[in-house]
Amino acid sequence: MLKKVVVGVLSVLLVLSVIGLAQGSPKYGGTLKVAIFDESPMLDMSMTTADLCTLIGHHIFEGLFEDDGNLEPRPQLVDTYEIADDGLLATLHLRHGVLFQNGKEMTSDDVLASLKRFIDYTPRGPLLAPFLDHMTASDAYTVELYLTKPCGALTAILAFTNGGAIIIPKEIAEASGDEPLAPENCIGTGPYMFDSWLPGKYLRLVRFDDYVSRGGDAFGYWGARTAYLDAIEFIPVPEVGTRVAGLEAGTYDYATEISADLFDQLDAKADLQTLVVNPASYPYYIFNTKEGIMANVKMRQAILAALDMTPIMQAAFGPEALWDISGSIYPSSTIWYSDAGTELYNQADPERAKQLAAEAGYNDEPIRFMTTTSYKFMYDMALVGVQQLEDAGFNIDLQVYDWATVVSRRVHPELWDIFTTNDATVGDPSIVCWLSDAYPGWWTDPEKHRFVEEITATVDFDARFKLWEEFQEFFWDQVYLIRLGDYYDYYAATADLKGVDTESHPVMKYCYFWNVWLDK
Amino acid sequence: MGSYVIRRLLGMIPAMLLVSVVAFLFMHLIPGNPAAVRLGPSATTDQIERLTEKMGLNEPIHIQFGRWFARVMQGDLGESIFFQQSVLSVIGSRAETSILLATLGMLVVICVGLPLGVISAVRRNTWIDQASLTVSFLGAGIPDFWLGLLLMLVFAVILGWFPTSGFTSIFAKGGIMNLRYLILPALTLGIPNAALLTRLTRSSMLEVLSLDYVSTAKAKGLPERTVILKHALRNCAIPIITTIAFTLVILMAQAVVTESVFALPGIGRLVISSVLRRDYPVLQGVLLLTAFLYLFVNLLADVAYGLLDPRIRY
């Protein structure tokens, strides 16, 4: 027995030392140069849902809750919290001694002012607004949220990074109103703080020396954070070839938005590392259910029946390491994964498609299918899908625009029938953007409302999951959109960047540079 | 000459007015809403509408134009929707890169194109001429995107002589040495234009070299160098100067691809990204300044004709 224990302990030590050797011990210092594909419209990450803003901003700001590596919300600026039995009161106990980057300590007043601004003015505010009756501070470190009805997604909404409910000093929150924070007013509690921004050249963050870490464990965006780097520079480099060449030449340490066809080439290089994002995102075709030919559910079912997902995903995302065929709305690495209703996904049955189209009374009317060349994968996934649909007898009018034009056209129901887009996996079903009635596609089915309301208002996870499975069956039957599969975005970095892609620091949608260091 | 310059300057006013109207109308004809770009993909229609209203973009186009034009008359090009800074400061922050890049590109054009064209003409139908013809055809035919990536691969990634990208300013840390970031872009920009200048210089020189006065100059025993550089080249100056002048504007305002490939913060890239972001005020500002630049360079070229050719009088 003793021998087994000794062998066991030695094995664990060996594994740990191998991991330790591979990653080395953390080092302070250095400037990380990150090549990004464009500029962020602003630094105030609560005022826009633009991904680039979140990617930069979440180094400066923190939320009351943050998602862990499995997208489960966990307390970050909050120490502990309770939800009353009737689900109508959430009491948040804040951590003591947390400092803003202007040296002031965070208290309940700052949290109240920040949440008020979030609800009143930001794109994600409407997620929380219908649930919140009022909020009060019972002392300097306790905030009480009184709800109009139970909200199973409360912590998920507060943890949602993109367009997130950031906590900023009260004075700044109140003075800014509905205007985005100017860069010099971007004062958060995060491990890095704003230093300078030369548009077109770089945006520089530096270490916040007085950062107060949560301590303890870290997993994903949640938990203890240490800023090892002196500075991070986000440099707009529009051409993917230049981002990759710069990475190879050592001009940059990290590059985002790299096309799938370069994955194998970069993966094979010893001095670089490819970092595959998990959980996956998902591309989809979304239908106009408000007016036009696709308002007919039979037509949507016909389109779904015709599609063979493998060639579509292959054309759009290339190497098999970067995509999967899956009809579950949530990817397999999340707690919401389910195969309920997925027998209707990936039928690849043109004959059935023709039959359903005939039942729908389809008479070769043109189907207006919008896509964009701004995102190559969207264009590719449209081309292959359109070919399959034409082979199944549909008359497709493919309309190709730049993304800004798609965004402006898609709000007009008279202009389109289908368009291509994609979404990142979010922490909770109730905050999935296309579930909103207002999202272009205008899915206003009363049955959908019932599901969304029940899932949101239910607090117990098992009951919520059961509802979600029922919803997923309904989703594939009604075909409001066609989820094509899972795709894994990836980043590339120099091998000198350590601490990334580990158990506590998984690669997530928005790369994050706390708890990582440069070993040059 | 003085009154001519004044007349030309006054003539620029209606041209600029026309450009401003056309620029404004065309910008607003493009579908797309800057408010949606600023708020991000998940903003609700209601929020986008509110911001659109706040930005004044929902008003009739003639009212928007009137407001914009009144400000332009006071020297205010408005505020960038995306950067939330004045358009002049956005353009100003890009101007250094564009001016330096155009200057270095122009050096490449003149130092390569002009001598190659003269030598080609003088050594007509020899292997030198053939080689220069081939090189200039290649130079003019290579897409600048491909040339840029090729130069980057060879001289930055493989040989490591130059950085791939990352120019900020010659006033930043590194000072004048930061110009090394601009050498590969200047070559990318300069080589195709140098090739065009080579062809133009060669054909102009051939025309002049066959004229009687050149034969006379040679017959009276002037050294060949003097005949070519002093007598022949000067008489080719008009088309060459025209080309150089417009190449300069092209290098400054249209270096879109080169600036994108080398991630340079110049005006060309600003134009492209402003189109994608529907940042109307920046686009209008850049179009106005570019139009002014064209007209001004045109004027300079005309003045230069007069100085170089005594037969031209205004």
Side-chain angles (χ1 to χ4, degrees), chain A residues 220-444:
Chain A
Y221 303 141
W222 167 80
R225 296 177 173 187
T226 305
Y228 290 111
L229 303 163
D230 288 341
I232 310 168
E233 284 180 6
F234 295 93
I235 304 159
V237 183
E239 285 302 323
V240 61
T242 314
R243 291 197 290 278
V244 170
L247 197 62
E248 291 180 317
T251 312
Y252 310 120
D253 303 300
Y254 202 96
T256 69
E257 296 280 327
I258 308 172
S259 48
D261 54 332
L262 291 169
F263 180 78
D264 290 336
Q265 180 195 328
L266 294 175
D267 198 40
K269 289 190 186 286
D271 54 348
L272 296 181
Q273 50 185 331
T274 49
L275 306 164
V276 178
V277 174
N278 198 0
S281 298
Y282 55 101
Y284 53 90
Y285 301 155
I286 188 160
F287 295 105
N288 178 355
T289 60
K290 190 174 191 175
E291 63 181 71
I293 194 164
M294 289 301 157
N296 183 340
V297 65
K298 283 265 186 226
M299 274 304 289
R300 304 200 296 267
Q301 289 168 342
I303 299 278
L304 173 61
L307 294 175
D308 179 358
M309 304 305 181
T310 305
I312 297 176
M313 294 298 285
Q314 204 156 28
F317 303 107
E320 287 188 14
L322 298 182
W323 55 274
D324 266 328
I325 292 299
S326 167
S328 169
I329 300 173
Y330 269 80
S332 56
S333 58
T334 63
I335 51 175
W336 295 98
Y337 174 81
S338 164
D339 58 5
T342 56
E343 60 280 358
L344 292 172
Y345 165 79
N346 201 17
Q347 297 170 57
D349 187 347
E351 290 313 312
R352 179 160 167 70
K354 283 178 188 161
Q355 186 196 331
L356 284 164
E359 286 172 28
Y362 179 62
N363 195 20
D364 206 38
E365 295 91 341
I367 297 170
R368 295 156 302 172
F369 192 123
M370 281 201 300
T371 189
T372 178
T373 42
S374 302
Y375 299 99
K376 186 175 175 295
F377 72 89
M378 284 197 205
Y379 183 64
D380 292 340
M381 78 195 204
L383 280 191
V384 181
V386 163
Q387 185 60 51
Q388 292 179 5
L389 295 175
E390 285 177 345
D391 291 347
F394 295 99
N395 176 10
I396 306 291
D397 170 16
L398 184 66
Q399 303 180 352
V400 184
Y401 304 102
D402 73 331
W403 182 245
T405 306
V406 171
V407 171
S408 74
R409 286 178 68 88
R410 69 183 190 181
V411 296
H412 300 289
E414 67 280 9
L415 293 181
W416 61 276
D417 297 307
I418 308 176
F419 75 86
T420 58
T421 185
N422 75 303
D423 250 318
T425 302
V426 295
D428 193 273
S430 58
I431 51 179
V432 171
C433 67
W434 45 261
L435 281 174
S436 154
D437 283 358
Y439 194 84
W442 306 280
W443 195 19
T444 51

Side-chain angles (χ1 to χ4, degrees), chain A residues 36 39-62 66-67 123-124 159-166 205 221 225 234 424 491 508-514, chain B residues 38-42:
Chain A
I36 52 179
E39 309 236 24
S40 172
M42 58 184 84
L43 261 187
D44 182 351
M45 62 182 267
S46 67
M47 275 293 185
T48 177
T49 56
D51 283 339
L52 270 176
C53 185
T54 308
L55 191 150
I56 298 168
H58 77 152
H59 294 87
I60 303 174
F61 303 106
E62 294 178 303
E66 293 284 351
D67 282 328
R124 299 283 188 206
F160 197 7
T161 313
N162 180 240
I166 55 174
L205 309 182
Y221 303 141
R225 296 177 173 187
F234 295 93
Y491 299 110
M508 297 178 71
K509 161 96 178 157
Y510 303 104
C511 39
Y512 50 114
F513 301 117
W514 54 86
Chain B
R38 187 162 123 185
L39 288 170
S42 303

Side-chain angles (χ1 to χ4, degrees), chain A residues 38 122 179 242 252 405, chain B residues 38 47 54 165 261 277-278:
Chain A
D38 195 2
T122 70
E179 281 295 317
T242 314
Y252 310 120
T405 306
Chain B
R38 187 162 123 185
Q47 286 168 327
K54 198 175 159 196
S165 49
V261 168
R277 295 166 186 152
R278 304 295 190 266

Side-chain angles (χ1 to χ4, degrees), chain A residues 39-167:
Chain A
E39 309 236 24
S40 172
M42 58 184 84
L43 261 187
D44 182 351
M45 62 182 267
S46 67
M47 275 293 185
T48 177
T49 56
D51 283 339
L52 270 176
C53 185
T54 308
L55 191 150
I56 298 168
H58 77 152
H59 294 87
I60 303 174
F61 303 106
E62 294 178 303
L64 295 169
F65 293 79
E66 293 284 351
D67 282 328
D68 70 13
N70 292 331
L71 296 184
E72 281 191 67
R74 294 164 80 165
Q76 185 71 15
L77 290 174
V78 162
D79 186 16
T80 57
Y81 70 103
E82 299 110 37
I83 308 274
D85 289 341
D86 61 3
L88 296 178
L89 169 64
T91 309
L92 313 177
H93 304 284
L94 305 177
R95 281 167 44 212
H96 291 227
V98 173
L99 294 181
F100 284 112
Q101 288 146 4
N102 61 5
K104 200 190 107 173
E105 191 191 357
M106 179 194 76
T107 65
S108 309
D109 286 344
D110 303 306
V111 173
L112 290 181
S114 301
L115 288 182
K116 184 169 186 322
R117 178 174 186 262
F118 174 70
I119 290 163
D120 289 348
Y121 303 122
T122 70
R124 299 283 188 206
L127 291 173
L128 187 59
F131 294 97
L132 196 66
D133 186 64
H134 67 282
M135 40 188 183
T136 58
S138 53
D139 63 46
Y141 301 102
T142 309
V143 172
E144 292 172 334
L145 306 180
Y146 290 88
L147 307 180
T148 53
K149 52 193 169 184
C151 178
L154 179 67
T155 55
I157 293 170
L158 293 174
F160 197 7
T161 313
N162 180 240
I166 55 174
I167 303 303

Side-chain angles (χ1 to χ4, degrees), chain B residues 11-58:
Chain B
M12 281 160 74
I13 294 172
M16 294 296 291
L17 278 176
L18 189 69
V19 168
S20 68
V21 174
V22 172
F24 192 90
L25 287 180
F26 271 95
M27 288 307 108
H28 287 262
L29 280 179
I30 314 172
N33 182 349
V37 177
R38 187 162 123 185
L39 288 170
S42 303
T44 63
T45 314
D46 183 43
Q47 286 168 327
I48 293 172
E49 274 170 11
R50 252 186 297 156
L51 186 58
T52 308
E53 197 179 321
K54 198 175 159 196
M55 289 172 168
L57 295 170
N58 58 341

